[in-house]
Amino acid sequence: MTRTVFVLNGPNLNMLGKREPGIYGGKTLADIEADCRAAGAELGLTVDFRQTNHEGVLVDWLHEADDGAQAVCINPGAYGHTSIALHDAIRAISPPVIELHLSNIHAREEFRHRTWTAPAAKGIICGFGAHSYILALRAAGELIQ
Ligand code: CA2
């Protein structure tokens, strides 16, 4: 059986590696995608890796995951702190959703402490840099065994 995991990325994550390496690390999103594909191959997961700067596109991809994926890992970027629409979209689908962040959002500005998406998600991983993606994929692999 093919086990497909959507790895969804929100706004500004296409800029990784260009600025703020002290917060987000030096890897580009393409580097992280390559890491996820390698980890997915080891875990027996097909990784469908995407990025958008548009909130509604993330909503559409979450809906697509309802039929098209067994689990979702999502770094919603700043939309995690603002978007009730993403909260609702996560609640509207069946596959487990794992929220992840590169940085430890609880050790940063207060406006990053709250995520509206986290209560709708199965769990949240943050603060491990690019390794947060691999931890989220491992969690996804275990959830859908
Ligand atoms: O730590 C994370 O993964 C975040 O989701 C990254 C978001 C931020 O708004 C969240 O609070 C935490 C930012 C995405 C990347 O933004 C950049 C900003 C400057 C340079 C490069 C990327």
Side-chain angles (χ1 to χ4, degrees):
M1 185 190 109
T2 310
R3 299 188 303 159
T4 300
V5 179
F6 281 10
V7 180
L8 305 182
N9 293 278
N12 296 309
L13 287 157
N14 54 312
M15 301 300 282
L16 287 178
K18 296 182 183 159
R19 306 243 192 300
E20 310 239 52
I23 299 175
Y24 299 120
K27 288 192 174 182
T28 65
L29 198 62
D31 295 332
I32 293 174
E33 177 175 1
D35 290 350
C36 285
R37 287 194 189 291
E42 278 176 25
L43 294 163
L45 305 173
T46 300
V47 171
D48 189 333
F49 193 98
R50 307 176 187 188
Q51 188 273 333
T52 178
N53 292 317
H54 303 281
E55 184 178 8
V57 174
L58 286 172
V59 171
D60 287 342
W61 286 347
L62 284 163
H63 293 175
E64 188 185 331
D66 203 21
D67 285 330
Q70 279 65 57
V72 177
C73 299
I74 183 168
N75 183 346
Y79 286 145
H81 311 305
T82 63
S83 178
I84 311 297
L86 283 183
H87 171 105
D88 288 345
I90 292 169
R91 289 181 59 113
I93 65 172
S94 299
V97 175
I98 298 147
E99 176 169 338
L100 72 102
H101 297 273
L102 295 150
S103 61
N104 179 353
I105 54 175
H106 299 289
R108 300 185 62 195
E109 305 97 320
E110 201 163 342
F111 64 82
R112 295 187 203 273
H113 294 184
R114 163 161 245 165
T115 101
W116 295 103
T117 37
K122 180 82 181 167
I124 174 166
I125 294 165
C126 72
F128 298 95
H131 196 58
S132 291
Y133 283 79
I134 307 304
L135 294 172
L137 275 173
R138 282 206 192 135
E142 286 180 20
L143 283 168
I144 62 179
Q145 269 191 49

